[in-house]
Amino acid sequence: MKKILIVEDDVDLVEIMKAHLEKEYEVDCAYDGEEALKKIEEFRPDLILLDVMLPKMDGAVLNAKLKSNPQTKDIPIIVLTGKIGLKELFLVNQQLTVSSFFYKPVLVSEIMNEIKKLLKDL
Amino acid sequence: MLNLKNILLISDQREHFTKLKYLLEKEKYKVVISSSQKKEIEKKIYDNFVEIIWFLSDLQGEKIISLCRWLFKKYPNKLYFRWIPDVLKCNITNCEVFRRGECKSALLFFDLGKNLIKRFKFLVQRNYSSILGNLSVELLGILIQVSKKAFLPMVKEDMMAVSDLHSQIDLAINYLNKEIGEKIVKKLKEIFFADKVSLFNYDIEKNNYILIASYGFLKDQEEPIVMDRKWQLMQKVISTHKPLLIQNGMIHYPEIKKLKIKPQPEVISSMIFPLITISKKEVIGVLNIARISPKKERFTNYEFLIAQYLVHWITLIYSIILGFKLSLEYAKLKSDFVSIINHELRTPLMSILASLEFISGKIPQQIYSILSRNVTRMRDLIEELLDFTRISKGKLSVVEEKNSISSLIEEVIEEYNSLAELKNIKIIVEKDIHTDLCFFDKNRMKQVLVNLITNSIKFMPDEKENKYIKISVKERADEYVFSVEDNGIGIKKKDLQKIFFPFVQIGSVMTDHKPGLGVGLFICRAIIKSHKGKIWVESEYGQFMKVNFTIPKKEKVVTTQDIDNKNSFDKNQEDI
């Protein structure tokens, strides 16, 4: 089973997303940027679901770190955020672009379709 | 009451005018006499703070004319009079100089008596009033300019004012801060022949006064100049609420006393005023006017008086500006607040939506429908709020692609037919087009039609007979004209303009309030404008309501993207 890491600071949202995703994948979660880095190293996810507004280290910085590390730069990232206007943040530098981008609220089924697509390409 | 006191009589036969001097001094004027020699005139004016100058009768025409030309240039702020006691000896040329308006005022007397003094006083007062009147008109002009340039965009008739609110606000505040200040300072420099003028305004953020405009004060710097605690004279003016008149290191007003501190070097004469609001007795600013050049005379009481009068006007202007600035900042805050709410609501809504998806097979269908419908309703409200915020920041973009008009209308009707049937409303479609394909943003145009149709359904009274909503589209040479018409309650003429305002719903807030934020039409208008079309309403209260809009025809795809959206990750997603 493929592995997905959810990085999101809202506890409820993490729980419900996990409930959906566990039907098809192995799921782990991190609630802030620093924890996410640790989990990525230990858990080695195949895909990351990333919120941007995170304590300790926000999603944009985390993304930059992952992209600059040859071990993690190819992990597909789906950004899921409530803050409108963040797309530019991820587009400034071509190397830092993410694979997919959703504004909340979005149907989980749509996210699942996107995950399927991205994991098939791997 | 005007308190001008210092008179200079110019005559080469001063012995003849002792009686005049006596009469004037009896009326508490301070009188000095000078010959027509320029040097003596200059010295006497300087030493005695002369405010009023009389040319006496012995002076010849040409002499007066040449003196006048020199004096008016050097001392234009004085009041000038000409006295001729004997009408028979009156030289026409002399009178002409005055009558032609080369002098500020003229006075022809034929007897030396009480009437002379009375008339003199009257003319001084009238002259002062007219000068003040002229200056007031000039400052009033500035005030009107302020209103027009800074705030007309906010109250323009078509009310796109709320669109692009933030940059309008920034523009207005920048204009207020800089240009008005500079206009006023320039005017003051002219009126008072000043070498230095500086205008400080209270800044809430810095909790101090900052320099907003100046002439000859300090060089242009990056950081705004803040008032220094060490500037004792200005601090004194702020704490005592009284203006200061300083001449050569001595305070002349309020009381004459020596300055305890060294005044700025080189300043021979300066006036410092607090700008105090009438209502709250707050000092919202400080104004400095100074003369440095030793060739210039010092400020007279007369000029000090005029300056005080002008300061009232300037204070009025800045009180109004301050009020506007606060309203503008507040409007911006409110708009930012809407943004924040928008953001905060999304995550909980997502959790609810995701939970709903999870249990979709496990609860009775009816209950699921209720949950699903209302979650969708909340999401739509949030999206409306989001659109509103985008419009306020001037960032609503449309992606215009070739689309079918017929399928647009069909899709909308398919979605809303059942809802209309529930209320017994018939939906009619009329199409009069040759080319079905047109360039427009399908999602956004759908949004417009949906908004109009839901409004029609919402505001349709139950009692009406033969309720209908007619959607029509007509093709013209260079545009398509759409309209959504219903025979609902309609709009009164007086409310026609208001309906495009955000958050407005016509009718009583309590009884007539319909579900929704009241931004639907506001958003429709923004979308139509982004397509470069027009939108307008026809209505007869109680009879019908017809909303019309146009979509111009285009040659090729023109995608209006906002400035920030350079690398469109996904063309259908929009950013703020």
Side-chain angles (χ1 to χ4, degrees):
Chain A
M1 250 202 305
K2 300 276 184 173
K3 293 186 273 188
I4 299 186
L5 177 70
I6 304 176
V7 184
E8 160 69 61
D9 66 329
D10 186 288
V11 173
D12 282 343
L13 187 57
V14 168
E15 201 175 315
I16 188 65
M17 294 291 300
K18 198 161 175 232
H20 276 279
L21 293 170
E22 263 173 351
K23 292 190 219 156
E24 294 180 29
Y25 307 98
E26 197 183 325
V27 182
D28 200 354
C29 39
Y31 298 95
D32 64 60
E34 282 179 10
E35 191 183 355
L37 275 177
K38 265 194 247 146
K39 288 279 170 100
I40 290 169
E41 217 180 312
E42 295 163 2
F43 183 58
R44 299 202 173 274
D46 297 299
L47 184 141
I48 301 174
L49 210 54
L50 179 64
D51 181 29
V52 184
M53 308 294 275
L54 298 167
K56 297 205 188 141
M57 186 197 302
D58 72 49
V61 174
L62 179 63
N63 183 42
K65 284 198 193 253
L66 293 177
K67 290 293 191 290
S68 62
N69 181 343
Q71 287 199 328
T72 55
K73 72 177 172 63
D74 290 320
I75 306 178
I77 295 181
I78 298 180
V79 170
L80 179 66
T81 183
K83 191 84 169 69
I84 307 299
L86 284 189
K87 223 189 248 163
E88 303 86 53
L89 256 179
F90 294 98
L91 301 177
V92 168
N93 186 340
Q94 278 303 332
Q95 281 104 313
L96 297 183
T97 50
V98 295
S99 317
S100 206
F101 200 102
F102 288 103
Y103 285 121
K104 298 175 196 167
V106 61
L107 287 172
V108 178
S109 49
E110 275 188 51
I111 301 178
M112 302 275 279
N113 286 339
E114 188 67 21
I115 293 177
K116 262 201 212 69
K117 238 201 317 187
L118 289 169
L119 288 180
K120 208 161 47 158
D121 294 338
L122 276 184
Chain B
M1 190 53 207
L2 187 57
N3 197 19
L4 301 188
K5 277 202 297 244
N6 308 328
I7 304 180
L8 172 72
L9 306 176
I10 304 180
S11 159
D12 291 321
Q13 295 173 1
R14 55 185 76 197
E15 333 72 59
H16 288 198
F17 300 103
T18 43
K19 182 160 186 206
L20 177 60
K21 183 169 191 269
Y22 166 72
L23 275 177
L24 290 170
E25 277 172 346
K26 221 171 105 176
E27 294 295 321
K28 310 272 196 294
Y29 289 100
K30 256 182 67 191
V31 184
V32 291
I33 306 186
S34 160
S35 70
S36 61
Q37 294 294 324
K38 286 190 185 176
K39 266 220 160 68
E40 190 185 347
I41 293 177
E42 257 183 289
K43 184 165 194 323
K44 290 257 159 74
I45 289 179
Y46 188 88
D47 289 342
N48 298 287
F49 297 102
V50 163
E51 292 149 341
I52 300 169
I53 298 176
W54 280 37
F55 299 97
L56 295 183
S57 52
D58 60 296
L59 298 171
Q60 293 306 307
E62 302 82 37
K63 179 126 236 179
I64 292 191
I65 293 174
S66 84
L67 267 182
C68 279
R69 294 219 171 98
W70 170 67
L71 281 167
F72 296 161
K73 226 160 103 183
K74 200 167 156 72
Y75 308 104
N77 280 347
K78 312 243 173 270
L79 297 182
Y80 292 89
F81 294 87
R82 166 97 173 101
W83 181 48
I84 304 170
D86 189 339
V87 62
L88 291 172
K89 287 214 192 112
C90 174
N91 184 326
I92 307 294
T93 334
N94 286 341
C95 308
E96 276 313 304
V97 165
F98 284 79
R99 229 180 278 131
R100 257 181 293 152
E102 281 180 37
C103 284
K104 292 254 178 57
S105 61
L107 184 51
L108 300 177
F109 289 119
F110 306 112
D111 63 74
L112 195 67
K114 272 207 204 132
N115 285 335
L116 171 86
I117 307 299
K118 246 203 231 163
R119 207 163 127 80
F120 169 62
K121 276 186 173 171
F122 169 73
L123 282 170
V124 166
Q125 188 64 39
R126 191 181 75 178
N127 222 279
Y128 177 63
S129 306
S130 82
I131 288 178
L132 287 184
N134 289 340
L135 291 176
S136 306
V137 165
E138 293 195 62
L139 283 181
L140 187 60
I142 291 180
L143 182 58
I144 291 173
Q145 277 186 44
V146 174
S147 318
K148 271 195 189 163
K149 200 156 175 191
F151 308 111
L152 199 60
M154 308 288 289
V155 298
K156 258 191 336 205
E157 242 198 272
D158 70 355
M159 278 311 282
M160 279 305 273
V162 186
S163 305
D164 197 13
L165 183 69
H166 281 225
S167 57
Q168 300 261 16
I169 288 176
D170 289 333
L171 273 173
I173 292 185
N174 276 334
Y175 177 73
L176 292 176
N177 277 333
K178 232 178 153 252
E179 292 194 38
I180 296 304
E182 286 176 5
K183 271 192 176 47
I184 290 179
V185 157
K186 189 163 164 239
K187 194 100 247 151
L188 290 171
K189 175 201 164 280
E190 278 169 30
I191 296 172
F192 294 103
F193 294 90
D195 297 310
K196 279 189 182 183
V197 181
S198 60
L199 180 59
F200 288 81
N201 221 16
Y202 186 70
D203 184 88
I204 304 170
E205 264 176 52
K206 297 202 161 74
N207 198 21
N208 201 345
Y209 299 84
I210 56 171
L211 183 71
I212 48 171
S214 76
Y215 173 83
F217 186 58
L218 287 167
K219 291 211 186 79
D220 254 312
Q221 298 183 6
E222 295 292 317
E223 285 291 308
I225 296 164
V226 174
M227 187 177 290
D228 201 321
R229 240 171 259 287
K230 292 192 239 129
W231 298 343
Q232 288 181 19
L233 291 173
M234 284 200 248
Q235 297 292 347
K236 185 180 166 88
V237 143
I238 294 169
S239 57
T240 60
H241 288 209
K242 281 199 163 47
L244 280 177
L245 173 63
I246 301 164
Q247 319 273 26
N248 288 123
M250 290 267 296
I251 299 182
H252 272 229
Y253 180 94
E255 313 99 12
I256 298 189
K257 62 178 183 181
K258 215 162 184 247
L259 266 181
K260 285 192 201 139
I261 51 144
K262 253 182 106 179
Q264 261 193 301
E266 318 144 351
V267 174
I268 55 159
S269 187
S270 73
M271 309 190 277
I272 309 180
F273 301 93
L275 272 57
I276 306 178
T277 58
I278 304 169
S279 51
K280 277 198 167 176
K281 293 280 178 197
E282 286 173 347
V283 181
I284 62 170
V286 176
L287 174 67
N288 275 287
I289 308 176
R291 283 187 189 149
I292 300 174
S293 162
K295 286 201 191 143
K296 293 194 183 162
E297 54 157 339
R298 296 160 293 175
F299 290 119
T300 61
N301 279 332
Y302 177 51
E303 287 169 312
F304 189 50
L305 261 171
I306 292 192
Q308 284 178 70
Y309 179 79
L310 292 180
V311 162
H312 284 310
W313 269 103
I314 295 171
T315 309
L316 173 67
I317 291 174
Y318 273 96
S319 304
I320 294 176
I321 287 177
L322 187 64
F324 272 122
K325 258 161 90 167
L326 290 173
S327 318
L328 291 176
E329 296 288 9
Y330 185 60
K332 229 176 162 182
L333 262 179
K334 273 204 281 196
S335 167
D336 287 340
F337 184 57
V338 168
S339 249
I340 293 172
I341 290 181
N342 197 288
H343 164 237
E344 290 301 309
L345 286 175
R346 289 176 175 267
T347 302
L349 196 58
M350 172 99 194
S351 296
I352 295 174
L353 193 63
S355 306
L356 197 59
E357 274 180 281
F358 197 76
I359 60 171
S360 86
K362 304 174 189 163
I363 54 168
Q365 179 59 30
Q366 218 180 352
I367 310 288
Y368 178 78
S369 299
I370 294 175
L371 283 169
S372 174
R373 256 202 318 273
N374 283 281
V375 166
T376 308
R377 226 170 111 188
M378 274 179 27
R379 194 195 56 195
D380 289 343
L381 284 173
I382 292 184
E383 293 298 330
E384 260 195 347
L385 257 182
L386 176 62
D387 278 341
F388 173 73
T389 312
R390 282 189 178 125
I391 297 172
S392 300
K393 297 193 179 176
K395 295 192 183 195
L396 186 87
S397 57
V398 291
V399 177
E400 290 168 277
E401 290 167 333
K402 230 177 191 169
N403 278 299
S404 153
I405 293 178
S406 308
S407 44
L408 168 72
I409 298 181
E410 271 161 33
E411 277 177 42
V412 171
I413 294 187
E414 209 184 289
E415 276 181 45
Y416 285 87
N417 222 347
S418 37
L419 188 60
E421 269 177 19
L422 269 174
K423 283 189 87 172
N424 271 325
I425 305 174
K426 184 155 190 257
I427 299 189
I428 311 167
V429 177
E430 266 179 23
K431 281 189 288 189
D432 181 8
I433 55 180
H434 313 292
T435 340
D436 186 47
L437 295 177
C438 175
F439 282 103
F440 56 88
D441 184 321
K442 187 165 179 198
N443 287 331
R444 288 300 191 181
M445 286 312 297
K446 209 166 162 201
Q447 199 178 351
V448 170
L449 285 176
V450 163
N451 251 304
L452 297 178
I453 290 175
T454 45
N455 274 351
S456 294
I457 297 178
K458 234 194 275 184
F459 291 97
M460 179 73 75
D462 292 318
E463 330 73 69
K464 272 266 175 166
E465 306 248 325
N466 303 326
K467 297 179 262 201
Y468 73 85
I469 297 176
K470 184 161 74 167
I471 304 173
S472 57
V473 51
K474 190 189 277 198
E475 181 174 351
R476 289 210 196 130
D478 49 357
E479 62 186 10
Y480 288 89
V481 183
F482 291 77
S483 66
V484 176
E485 180 185 336
D486 65 65
N487 60 343
I489 195 161
I491 296 269
K492 293 185 189 155
K493 292 280 184 284
K494 66 179 175 80
D495 294 328
L496 269 178
Q497 279 312 306
K498 274 198 260 171
I499 53 174
F500 289 105
F501 288 19
F503 309 124
V504 165
Q505 277 190 6
I506 305 299
S508 147
V509 169
M510 298 296 277
T511 55
D512 298 341
H513 181 75
K514 298 275 186 261
L517 293 173
V519 294
L521 278 177
F522 176 71
I523 294 175
C524 286
R525 180 208 222 126
I527 293 174
I528 301 297
K529 282 225 167 187
S530 290
H531 282 89
K532 307 272 193 298
K534 287 190 290 270
I535 184 168
W536 70 100
V537 172
E538 296 162 49
S539 175
E540 187 70 49
Y541 186 60
Q543 306 292 332
F544 77 95
M545 166 98 160
K546 189 171 180 197
V547 182
N548 308 290
F549 59 91
T550 61
I551 303 291
K553 291 186 182 175
K554 285 181 193 68
E555 290 303 312
K556 38 183 177 177
V557 178
V558 169
T559 320
T560 39
Q561 289 182 319
D562 61 52
I563 327 157
D564 298 338
N565 201 2
K566 285 198 189 98
N567 296 307
S568 182
F569 183 87
D570 174 1
K571 271 208 167 156
N572 288 320
Q573 292 261 358
E574 283 156 350
D575 302 336
I576 284 192

